[in-house]
Amino acid sequence: MTTSVHHCLKWAIAKINGAALWVSGTAMVLMAVHVSLDAFGKYLFSLPIPATLEVVAYYYMPAVAALPIAHVELKGGHVALEMLFDAFPKAVQRIILIFNSVLMIAFLGLLAWLAGREALRKFDIGEYMFGEYPIVIWPGRFIFTFGLAFMCLVIFAKALDVLLALWDGESDTQHAMEAKV
């Protein structure tokens, strides 16, 4: 039995995941073009693009690193000890999946909260980098926070899948958390 709320959650996760992947992919392409143009300009014409390092570090990298981690979780791509996990009885597997989800949500939630608090603090002071050109750098902190918070939402939805499968009496919840969200 799946509720309409569960369906809405899955729909929202799919849409957010698509947008996050699009932003991440765009950032990766822009980063490659930006760095390449900077290298060509620097070594061929002695005209590097100003603040390339800052833009790469504070804009492109948070998007490339933090936004796709939830997608990797959705696809079951993170490191797992499946050989050990598969050796346990189904009931123990369910307990492990739920326990792991609670731990991950607690850890990533705390990390997201702390990162978000710092991002708000940096936003309040209008953080920017001094250099040839001043560059506002606080937005990248929100990108990282969003990636962590979205990962928490994905883990919650996958844990909900396991709980609903358990509630419905389904016998095979062994891989209920793999790419079903």
Side-chain angles (χ1 to χ4, degrees), residues 3 13 34 42 51 54 59 109 114 151 156 160-161 163-164:
T3 64
I13 286 173
H34 191 153
K42 181 178 180 180
E54 290 82 2
Y59 285 93
L114 292 171
M151 178 73 164
F156 171 77
L160 188 60
D161 280 347
L163 289 172
L164 288 173

Side-chain angles (χ1 to χ4, degrees), residues 47-114:
L47 293 170
I49 297 174
T52 295
L53 179 63
E54 290 82 2
V55 172
V56 167
Y58 290 101
Y59 285 93
Y60 299 141
M61 288 308 291
V64 169
L67 294 180
I69 63 169
H71 177 74
V72 174
E73 179 64 26
L74 283 169
K75 298 300 179 186
H78 286 124
V79 175
L81 294 171
E82 290 179 358
M83 196 166 95
L84 180 62
F85 180 80
D86 291 345
F88 290 114
K90 301 261 187 263
V92 174
Q93 290 176 1
R94 292 181 187 125
I95 292 168
I96 291 170
L97 288 174
I98 298 302
F99 182 71
N100 181 59
S101 297
V102 169
L103 284 178
M104 289 303 298
I105 290 170
F107 174 74
L108 292 172
L110 176 64
L111 196 56
W113 178 73
L114 292 171

Side-chain angles (χ1 to χ4, degrees), residues 10-11 13-14 18-19 23 26 33 36 55 57 63 100 105 129 131-132 140 143 150 153 156 159 163 165-166 170 175:
K10 285 184 172 191
W11 178 85
I13 286 173
V23 170
T26 302
V33 169
S36 296
V55 172
N100 181 59
I105 290 170
M129 289 287 286
E132 190 175 339
I143 295 169
F150 184 47
L153 181 65
F156 171 77
L163 289 172
L166 183 60
E170 292 179 21
H175 299 289

Side-chain angles (χ1 to χ4, degrees), residues 54-55 57-59 62 114-131 133-145:
E54 290 82 2
V55 172
Y58 290 101
Y59 285 93
L114 292 171
R117 189 176 71 174
E118 185 68 10
L120 285 172
R121 193 173 77 72
K122 297 300 185 175
F123 169 76
D124 286 342
I125 64 171
E127 180 184 37
Y128 65 96
M129 289 287 286
F130 289 105
Y133 300 98
I135 297 181
V136 176
I137 59 173
W138 58 261
R141 296 180 186 278
F142 285 101
I143 295 169
F144 180 72
T145 302

